[in-house]
Amino acid sequence: MGRLAAAGECFARRRKVGRVQRFVVDAEDLLRTRFALSPVFELHHLIHAVAGPQRQGVPESWLRRLRPRFEPMRSRPAMQAILALRLPRSGATFLTPPPQRHGQTIEDDLRELRGGPREAVQEEIAFYLQRRPETSAAARKVLAAGDVLDQLAEQLAEAWQTLLADDWPRLRLLCERDIVHRGGELSRSGWESALTGLHPKVRWRDGGIDLIGRAGGETPLHGEGLLLVPSVFVWPEIAVYADAPWPKAIVYPARGVATLLEHGPPQAPDHLSALIGRSRALLLATLGEPASTSQLARAYGMTVGAVGDHLKVLHRAGLVERARDGRSVLYRRTALGDALATAERARATDRDGAGPDRR
């Protein structure tokens, strides 16, 4: 049976063999290890944060904005069932099946959920209901129904549209940029460097991956590889898929997630908007880290052609540079672009008396 272990402890088969869980890796595993995105994992974490009482690392400003949208769904039997399938340190894996690919969509995730392995699903439901005796009769009825997976998928689809669909393009951009960064680390310095930088609790050691502070023992990957899944709402912890029948995976905080959650997405600086226009200013503000034309178009609801035209202008002006990464061309700010994009922030810091000491 698989149980998705969240922060602090692995519930995989309830093994108690020390505080280090370890994935044993061979050469075939390294070749087959890949990055992927999981929209449904983000949704599941967000649902539990807005439902409370723990906010799961989600900032209070997000909760204030999203809780009024969530409240009409809270009392629905299918939502009660979703909330019942979680303990403080683990959750039912079948609700958030490991993703299959980099371009994973919520439709992909819900299709996987609907086709979940029945025996594993029933075993997980029994596990959580045994530990959640307060679960309502209405929720238990949903979880006992023959079409339970369809009911849960329909409720998650509604929750996606209500809670996360509007924000997902920008969150996806953050995760995709993390993948670009990790891929660069991998090509420059190998797996040890790429894995060690995921999280302080993840490290490469002697042909395997240690997950510090987790009871779980050794889990061979058997040549199937490992999924590495950047996430927004797992921050500041990690989550682990370690049990059959699910693919093995580590969900880790994407680079820059703390800044995004605490300060919001990049905004077009007023001084820069007046100089080069709001759309170009917004793109320049975003390109502190590399991104492709299509990623930027998805994040800001622009057409690929319009983004491409803006980037050509910024490139000719020497404000961004570009480099090929596989099939994609990635853009990022130059030193001149950095100076323009951050000038207003630097002036504001000085006005607030927090600038450098010039005595």
Side-chain angles (χ1 to χ4, degrees), residues 332-347:
R332 71 175 300 163
R333 289 197 305 255
T334 61
L336 177 59
D338 283 339
L340 279 175
T342 60
E344 186 170 273
R345 188 187 314 157
R347 289 199 303 271

Side-chain angles (χ1 to χ4, degrees), residues 355-359:
D357 188 348
R358 295 186 175 89
R359 290 178 296 176

Side-chain angles (χ1 to χ4, degrees), residues 293-309:
T293 303
S294 58
Q295 289 171 342
L296 294 167
R298 281 195 301 267
Y300 294 114
M302 303 181 191
T303 66
V304 171
V307 172
D309 289 343

Side-chain angles (χ1 to χ4, degrees), residues 90-136:
S90 75
T93 305
F94 78 85
L95 277 178
T96 57
Q100 301 297 313
R101 60 191 179 96
H102 180 175
Q104 191 89 355
T105 66
I106 188 65
E107 290 79 15
D108 294 330
D109 285 332
L110 297 182
R111 190 180 308 113
E112 289 291 323
L113 191 163
R114 292 176 189 273
R118 293 287 173 169
E119 183 176 348
V121 169
Q122 291 170 0
E123 191 174 354
E124 285 200 294
I125 289 173
F127 175 89
Y128 285 97
L129 287 182
Q130 183 179 3
R131 289 157 179 80
R132 298 291 303 272
E134 75 281 10
T135 301
S136 69

Side-chain angles (χ1 to χ4, degrees), residues 100-313:
Q100 301 297 313
R101 60 191 179 96
H102 180 175
Q104 191 89 355
T105 66
I106 188 65
E107 290 79 15
D108 294 330
D109 285 332
L110 297 182
R111 190 180 308 113
E112 289 291 323
L113 191 163
R114 292 176 189 273
R118 293 287 173 169
E119 183 176 348
V121 169
Q122 291 170 0
E123 191 174 354
E124 285 200 294
I125 289 173
F127 175 89
Y128 285 97
L129 287 182
Q130 183 179 3
R131 289 157 179 80
R132 298 291 303 272
E134 75 281 10
T135 301
S136 69
R140 290 176 181 272
K141 183 177 180 180
V142 170
L143 294 171
D147 64 344
V148 56
L149 296 180
D150 289 333
Q151 291 192 53
L152 298 181
E154 289 172 8
Q155 182 61 80
L156 288 172
E158 180 188 2
W160 173 266
Q161 293 300 324
T162 303
L163 301 176
L164 194 50
D166 291 344
D167 291 307
W168 177 242
R170 289 183 291 276
L171 304 187
R172 175 176 171 171
L173 174 62
L174 185 78
C175 293
E176 288 180 331
R177 293 165 88 170
D178 179 276
I179 292 174
V180 170
H181 172 79
R182 306 290 175 192
E185 285 287 302
L186 178 60
S187 62
R188 288 189 297 270
S189 307
W191 278 109
E192 180 174 0
S193 176
L195 290 169
T196 299
L198 290 183
H199 193 273
K201 293 181 179 179
V202 179
R203 71 181 183 189
W204 176 269
R205 179 179 63 84
D206 298 333
I209 302 168
D210 288 345
L211 305 167
I212 311 302
R214 291 174 174 272
E218 291 192 346
T219 303
L221 297 182
H222 298 302
E224 297 178 358
L226 183 69
L227 284 168
L228 300 173
V229 184
S231 167
V232 174
F233 295 123
V234 77
W235 179 83
E237 289 291 344
I238 60 174
V240 177
Y241 295 83
D243 284 342
W246 315 101
K248 310 302 183 290
I250 299 173
V251 185
Y252 64 91
R255 296 173 72 250
V257 65
T259 300
L260 175 69
L261 291 179
E262 292 172 4
H263 302 293
Q267 302 295 318
D270 291 339
H271 73 287
L272 202 53
S273 295
L275 181 65
I276 62 175
R278 182 183 178 281
S279 294
R280 290 172 191 162
L282 179 60
L283 294 176
L284 190 62
T286 302
L287 287 172
E289 295 286 343
S292 70
T293 303
S294 58
Q295 289 171 342
L296 294 167
R298 281 195 301 267
Y300 294 114
M302 303 181 191
T303 66
V304 171
V307 172
D309 289 343
H310 290 316
L311 292 175
K312 287 177 184 177
V313 173

